[in-house]
Amino acid sequence: MLKPNGNYRNLKDSYLFFGISKKVEAYRKAHPDLPLYRLGIGDVSRPLCDEAIKALHAAVNDQADARTFRGYTPECGIPEFRQAAAGYYARRGVRLDPEEVFVSSGASDELGDILDLFDASSPALITQPAYPAYVDASVMAGRKVSFLNAGPENDFLPLPGEDTEADLIYLCSPNNPTGAVYSREQLQAWVDYANRRGAVILFDAAYEAFIEEDLPHSIFEIPGAENCAVEICSLSKTAGFTGTRLGYTVIPKALERDGMNLNAMWVRNRTTKTNGISYILQKAGIAVFSDAGLRQIQENIQIYKENARVLMRALDGAGIRYWGGKNAPYIWMACPDGMKSWDFFDLLLNEIQVIGTPGEGFGACGEGFFRLSSFGDPEDTRIAAERIRSLIVNR
Ligand code: PLP
């Protein structure tokens, strides 16, 4: 009899978003006339920028004409896309060979697929609170997972210690859910640790475009990272491609373990397991990386950033401690009066019709914290922020 992948038995039920939607649905049924203010979503609300839309239309027209029609695209990305993404890094002084950039259909797909490169016996280390896919993709692959806890004591930016043991290290900066961003010195500590140990860092840079202070956008800004890191990037939050689906992954040609070259292995993987990413989407991605495209996506990001400032001002007014918000679309707040995160969720929903995300859903050490997202509508965000401030101040 066929044996299914028994590792799936080891997955914990993903209660977070299911639990939220059940509670919200029940509330909506009981109070059909009350508007809800959503600060829980990790999805964007702004449309694609003009440059991307123009490129999408033009690429669709290309497909309508035998002279410009494109069939299969190269599995690792059309050269123009790989060149454009490498050019984006060059703007920050990171020199990449375009063949070190691989197109993808988004970070989520890649975070699971990339595990093919590593033997399942190599354990993973995940800093928590964490984006839930890291744990689940590792467990599905039969990988042992250990956690490094983040908290106020390390400003939600944990570093490797004497006793840290890891072969595959997940880092996410700017972090979902905490909004915390590693400094150059802190990332250097991780890179040095990984090179000493022969570990590999999977660096999730999905939110790099939200950084406004002088902090690293890419792990490849750190000397030595080309020997120990893979970077997973996405146009989802950067450019509103959550529904369009486009991302890219950087695997340096210098990255080798046990005599095997990870870049060459990924070429082999992609050419076997994919037949490329849509020509139309890659053309839109190229347009995003143009001068005009980058200017336009920043205009959208600035709208989210204003939402974040509105939320941060409200929390300041309520005397609440929080992290993130400045260089990330998420604000990670301490629940008032030591409340548990699901209790605070219920309080916000029932008293002021505001929906956020309980920190406990991102790992046990998220208990007592709460994530607010700046991806919502500006007017809704203003109303929700004032309601949160007033609720906390008048409690
Ligand atoms: N990584 C992090 C930290 C995320 O928060 C998300 C989405 O919310 C992703 C990756 C997945 O992004 P994508 O839409 O590219 O699959």
Side-chain angles (χ1 to χ4, degrees):
M1 190 174 71
L2 173 131
K3 268 178 83 176
N5 181 347
N7 297 318
Y8 280 63
R9 292 205 175 90
N10 302 326
L11 291 168
K12 296 221 168 67
D13 280 346
S14 169
Y15 183 67
L16 180 61
F17 294 107
F18 178 66
I20 291 174
S21 65
K22 243 174 59 177
K23 279 173 182 267
V24 170
E25 216 27 63
Y27 187 83
R28 200 214 281 279
K29 271 205 181 115
H31 308 276
D33 300 330
L34 288 180
L36 295 171
Y37 301 94
R38 295 181 187 275
L39 298 181
I41 51 163
D43 199 353
V44 293
S45 54
R46 303 286 309 154
L48 299 185
C49 69
D50 284 350
E51 286 302 299
I53 292 293
K54 272 197 306 205
L56 284 169
H57 283 300
V60 169
N61 288 339
D62 286 348
Q63 296 298 69
D65 186 330
R67 285 165 305 180
T68 48
F69 170 77
R70 292 286 297 262
Y72 288 127
T73 57
E75 295 88 343
C76 300
I78 55 181
E80 209 185 342
F81 176 83
R82 303 177 90 182
Q83 184 76 53
Y88 182 56
Y89 278 79
R91 288 169 185 260
R92 283 193 299 277
V94 175
R95 300 184 76 80
L96 294 180
D97 179 335
E99 290 183 356
E100 295 177 311
V101 179
F102 295 83
V103 73
S104 78
S105 51
S108 278
D109 313 45
E110 215 63 352
L111 283 162
D113 292 351
I114 201 89
L115 296 178
D116 257 15
L117 295 184
F118 310 105
D119 193 278
S121 66
S122 303
L125 179 77
I126 298 177
T127 67
Q128 265 201 329
Y131 180 57
Y134 304 154
V135 182
D136 289 350
S138 294
V139 170
M140 285 176 189
R143 193 174 302 282
K144 250 180 67 195
V145 173
S146 63
F147 296 105
L148 190 59
N149 283 351
E153 66 286 356
N154 51 31
D155 266 331
F156 290 96
L157 294 166
L159 292 172
E162 296 281 298
D163 55 345
T164 305
E165 288 194 11
D167 289 343
L168 188 62
I169 301 161
Y170 284 86
L171 297 181
C172 178
S173 175
N175 189 274
N176 178 10
T178 68
V181 185
Y182 279 112
S183 68
R184 284 193 175 76
E185 296 68 30
Q186 289 169 322
L187 279 189
Q188 188 73 63
W190 275 113
V191 164
D192 292 346
Y193 168 85
N195 276 327
R196 260 197 322 272
R197 216 188 132 82
V200 169
I201 297 172
L202 288 185
F203 191 77
D204 184 339
Y207 297 100
E208 60 79 20
F210 289 77
I211 295 175
E212 61 183 49
E213 291 180 299
D214 181 23
L215 292 162
H217 288 238
S218 162
I219 196 151
F220 298 116
E221 292 175 46
I222 309 302
E226 66 280 9
N227 298 118
C228 68
V230 167
E231 184 156 290
I232 296 189
C233 307
S234 166
L235 293 187
S236 280
K237 311 302 164 79
T238 305
F241 276 59
T242 51
T244 313
R245 310 304 303 149
L246 191 66
Y248 51 100
T249 296
V250 179
I251 308 182
K253 288 187 169 175
L255 181 53
E256 298 202 339
R257 287 292 176 269
D258 201 18
M260 297 181 81
N261 184 287
L262 272 73
N263 181 289
M265 287 167 71
W266 197 236
V267 172
R268 189 63 203 263
N269 180 296
R270 295 292 86 181
T271 52
T272 304
K273 294 195 169 182
T274 77
N275 249 335
I277 300 289
S278 153
Y279 162 78
I280 297 168
L281 300 187
Q282 294 193 63
K283 290 297 267 189
I286 293 164
V288 165
F289 290 126
S290 68
D291 288 341
L294 291 174
R295 223 180 14 256
Q296 290 171 6
I297 62 169
Q298 268 305 324
E299 285 165 15
N300 276 343
I301 288 175
Q302 290 314 315
I303 291 173
Y304 300 136
K305 283 187 160 284
E306 180 54 26
N307 285 346
R309 283 190 285 273
V310 165
L311 290 166
M312 289 191 288
R313 275 198 296 274
L315 296 178
D316 287 337
I320 292 286
R321 194 167 178 208
Y322 59 87
W323 293 259
K326 191 153 179 55
N327 298 292
Y330 300 119
I331 295 166
W332 183 246
M333 61 175 285
C335 298
D337 308 324
M339 279 180 89
K340 294 197 157 207
S341 57
W342 279 102
D343 293 341
F344 188 57
F345 175 89
D346 290 337
L347 180 75
L348 292 192
L349 176 62
N350 294 322
E351 298 293 323
I352 56 172
Q353 295 77 49
V354 170
I355 304 161
T357 313
E360 190 265 347
F362 298 99
C365 67
E367 181 57 286
F369 297 91
F370 201 76
R371 190 190 78 173
L372 301 176
S373 157
S374 66
F375 283 126
D377 171 76
E379 186 52 23
D380 279 7
T381 303
R382 256 189 294 281
I383 296 169
E386 175 47 28
R387 288 182 171 211
I388 293 172
R389 189 201 63 77
S390 157
L391 177 81
I392 294 174
V393 165
N394 296 314
R395 250 162 69 81

